[in-house]
Amino acid sequence: MVMAMDQITHRFVQANGLKLHVAEIGSESSPAVIFLHGFPEIWYTWRHQMIAVANAGFRALAPDFRGYGLSDSPAEPEKATFTDLIDDTASILDSLNISKVFVIGKDFGAIVAYPFALLHPEKVAGILTLGLPFMPPGAFKHQFVLPEGFYPRRWQEPGRAEADFGRFDVKTVVRNIYILFSQSELQIADQNQEIMDLVKPSTPLPAWFTEQDLEAYAALYEKSGFRTALQVPYRTMDMVGSEVEDPKVEVPTTVIMGEEDYVLKIPGMGEYIRSGEVKKYVPKQETIYVPHGSHFLPEQFPDKVNELMLNFLNQNKHLLLV
C-alpha cells in the first residue's frame, strides 16, 4: 500500500504539563523515526520524508515543539530552553511506548537531536541531521561567533524581532524568512536596517515552495505566534552544548548539507565540518553534500533527501532491534 499526505494522522500527547501536537504515519509496530523541525519550520516541513519512510516500512512521528504550531505554548515562553525540548522529546516517546528511535533533525532540530542522544543513549539508534552538525559546548559563545547584523544576533535582542515582525502579517514574515534562508550568502542587515527589510516585496518564493505551502505554514504560525520561537533557538543560543560535559555521540550519524547552504558561511562552521574536527564529538559521522542544495533540503530536493535518509535508516535498522 502506498501512503499519501491524507494518511498523516494527528494526535496530542501530554508532555511535561503541555499538550503537544504529533503528526504521524505508518504502522505502530514498525521501527520508529522521529523528525525534529527547525525555524521557521513545523511538522509540515517533513511531509515528503514522512510519507517516504512510512512507505519503506517505518513509523514516522513529527512533533511541533512546545510553543510552535499546534502544540501548547509554555506559560512563560521567555523561560523556555533547549532542555525543555529535549525533555519533551523523551516524554513524547514514553507516552507512545516507543523505546528506541532514529532521530532526524533539521536546523536547530539538530541542537535537540544530539543532546537527546547524549542524555538518553538507550533511546537512540542513530541520528541524521540536515543543515547543522553537532554543536560543541559553548558553540555560539566561543567557536562560531556570529556577525553583527546577522539575523540570529538581531533576534537575540528582546523586542527587536517582535517590532520588526509586527509591521507585517504572519504570512509575509514566513515568506520573507523562507526567501532569506534559501540564499547561499549570509544575509546581514546594516545598523539601521531590520531583517525583514532585506527582502523586497517583489521577490518571488523559491520555485520548490508553493503558495499552498506558505498558507500551511502561515496558519500554524498564526496559531502559535513567534514568542517561543524567538526564545528557542535564538535567545538561548549561548547555552547550546551545555547539557553534557565532554560530549561524545557514539551512535551512527549522518549530516546532510546543501552545498549552497548559508550555514557553511558562518565564520568557522564550514571548516569545523570539513576538517573533521566535528568527529572529536561524533566519531561515526558521515557528511554528505547535496549539489545546489540550500538550507531547506527536505523541501527543495525531497527525492534526494528521501533516498539518503532511507539508505541511512536501512543500513542501521538492525540497531533498533537490539
Side-chain angles (χ1 to χ4, degrees):
M1 184 179 91
V2 176
M3 303 201 186
M5 188 78 182
D6 59 2
Q7 283 164 290
I8 294 177
T9 60
H10 299 269
R11 66 160 90 202
F12 289 88
V13 166
Q14 282 296 133
N16 303 313
L18 299 175
K19 210 168 64 172
L20 302 181
H21 167 247
V22 181
E24 182 178 358
I25 187 169
S27 160
E28 286 194 10
S29 58
S30 297
V33 183
I34 191 164
F35 292 89
L36 306 177
H37 64 78
F39 178 81
E41 289 122 351
I42 212 76
W43 79 265
Y44 180 83
T45 303
W46 299 112
R47 58 201 178 281
H48 307 296
Q49 287 68 45
M50 292 177 75
I51 292 163
V53 303
N55 282 329
F58 293 87
R59 176 186 185 185
L61 306 159
D64 288 337
F65 285 130
R66 58 168 60 200
Y68 281 80
L70 301 175
S71 288
D72 282 353
S73 289
E76 298 178 276
E78 290 71 25
K79 289 187 177 165
T81 66
F82 278 104
T83 303
D84 293 328
L85 307 190
I86 295 162
D87 293 346
D88 289 347
T89 305
S91 293
I92 288 168
L93 296 177
D94 289 347
S95 65
L96 298 175
N97 294 315
I98 297 170
S99 57
K100 203 167 192 178
V101 287
F102 288 105
V103 183
I104 296 181
K106 156 81 174 57
D107 182 65
F108 87 81
I111 302 178
V112 179
Y114 293 107
F116 177 72
L118 290 165
L119 294 167
H120 302 279
E122 74 293 348
K123 290 187 190 297
V124 179
I127 301 174
L128 185 147
T129 65
L130 301 107
L132 264 191
F134 175 88
M135 290 285 104
F140 296 106
K141 252 193 189 149
H142 314 300
Q143 196 156 354
F144 312 116
V145 180
L146 303 172
E148 191 50 62
F150 185 35
Y151 74 90
R153 285 288 297 277
R154 282 293 171 85
W155 294 351
Q156 279 176 332
E157 235 177 277
R160 186 150 190 180
E162 288 85 340
D164 184 13
F165 293 3
R167 299 176 294 154
F168 305 96
D169 61 13
V170 166
K171 190 171 163 183
T172 304
V173 173
V174 175
R175 178 195 185 93
N176 287 354
I177 293 170
Y178 253 82
I179 290 168
L180 274 181
F181 290 12
S182 56
Q183 313 290 319
S184 60
E185 298 300 321
L186 296 186
Q187 301 296 307
I188 311 264
D190 293 335
Q191 204 175 347
N192 55 359
Q193 189 182 31
E194 297 306 322
I195 299 300
M196 289 290 116
D197 299 332
L198 293 172
V199 183
K200 292 191 180 76
S202 59
T203 309
L205 280 167
W208 38 265
F209 193 72
T210 66
E211 285 291 336
Q212 191 184 349
D213 294 331
L214 180 60
E215 291 285 348
Y217 277 84
L220 290 164
Y221 278 98
E222 285 279 355
K223 183 196 169 294
S224 64
F226 297 105
R227 270 180 79 186
T228 311
L230 287 166
Q231 173 66 12
V232 186
Y234 302 106
R235 292 171 190 166
T236 41
M237 283 178 88
D238 286 351
M239 295 160 69
V240 166
S242 61
E243 297 85 4
V244 174
E245 236 177 280
D246 195 21
K248 191 158 270 186
V249 178
E250 299 290 1
V251 294
T253 306
T254 291
V255 174
I256 306 174
M257 297 294 299
E259 278 186 353
E260 294 174 21
D261 189 334
Y262 70 86
V263 166
L264 292 168
K265 306 269 173 72
I266 291 172
M269 184 72 78
E271 192 189 354
Y272 167 70
I273 301 172
R274 290 195 179 104
S275 69
E277 190 194 338
V278 65
K279 290 200 171 193
K280 268 194 336 204
Y281 307 104
V282 194
K284 296 178 189 165
Q285 177 176 306
E286 180 188 6
T287 306
I288 301 170
Y289 294 93
V290 176
H292 315 296
S294 73
H295 192 57
F296 293 113
L297 286 176
E299 295 172 286
Q300 182 187 11
F301 292 126
D303 295 345
K304 183 67 186 165
V305 169
N306 294 349
E307 177 198 330
L308 294 170
M309 200 171 276
L310 288 170
N311 286 347
F312 175 79
L313 294 173
N314 287 322
Q315 270 168 19
N316 295 295
K317 197 165 156 179
H318 63 283
L319 297 172
L320 269 188
L321 310 171
V322 176

